[in-house]
Amino acid sequence: VLMIISPQNRPVFEAVIPANSLSERQLILSQLAIFAALDMVDEAMWNSKELFLKVVDRFNDQNVSAFVTPGNHRFMLLHDARQDDGLKTFLNKLYEIFIKIALNPFYDDEEPIRSKAFSDRVRHLAQEYL
């Protein structure tokens, strides 16, 4: 599960990767695990100069990795993969397409991202790097 969290701790984007792979109960537990890890991300971002914070928390047998933008948006990914290189590349590429959305003068950083093109590109990146 991938979530983009705004600086005011509101989810602005969510994607289940691969699509439709979780039941409703599993999705709610995944969301809870990601939100529970926000405190860990807030601590870790002050102790690191990097945008990619690697694994910040664990939930059952899955890891929560984070990427913090200079604008304080947090990209949070709940995953079971062990490959840090593919994960880092995925989050960096996600940041590149997020910047294109954020630079739109009509974009409000508190509103959910509803662009189908953005969602499709995120899924394509996930297939390629995760």
Side-chain angles (χ1 to χ4, degrees):
V1 174
L2 169 72
M3 291 183 85
I4 299 177
I5 311 291
S6 75
Q8 286 75 25
N9 295 332
R10 293 188 182 117
V12 293
F13 181 77
E14 181 178 7
V16 177
I17 302 168
N20 302 323
S21 63
L22 297 178
S23 69
E24 184 176 343
R25 183 176 189 279
Q26 290 171 321
L27 178 61
I28 291 170
L29 285 174
S30 298
Q31 292 168 339
L32 180 65
I34 289 173
F35 276 107
L38 277 175
D39 290 334
M40 304 290 193
V41 172
D42 289 341
E43 281 182 29
M45 71 184 208
W46 295 110
N47 297 328
S48 175
K49 295 178 184 175
E50 299 294 320
L51 298 177
F52 176 55
L53 300 177
K54 297 187 180 181
V55 175
V56 293
D57 199 8
R58 297 191 195 302
F59 175 72
N60 291 339
D61 60 339
Q62 295 186 318
N63 300 321
V64 179
S65 295
F67 184 98
V68 181
T69 69
N72 205 25
H73 279 82
R74 277 82 37 107
F75 300 169
M76 310 271 299
L77 184 65
L78 182 66
H79 61 95
D80 55 2
R82 300 267 183 229
Q83 56 184 18
D84 277 347
D85 293 335
L87 187 61
K88 184 176 182 178
T89 304
F90 168 74
L91 291 171
N92 280 319
K93 298 274 186 187
L94 175 62
Y95 179 52
E96 289 175 15
I97 62 174
F98 177 76
I99 287 173
K100 292 176 185 175
I101 293 284
L103 288 176
N104 183 337
F106 300 109
Y107 172 69
D108 179 9
D109 68 349
E110 289 302 308
E111 292 296 315
I113 299 172
R114 293 185 178 94
S115 169
K116 179 156 174 33
F118 181 81
S119 181
D120 290 346
R121 291 193 64 195
V122 168
R123 291 187 192 290
H124 175 72
L125 287 174
Q127 286 176 344
E128 190 172 337
Y129 294 106
L130 297 180

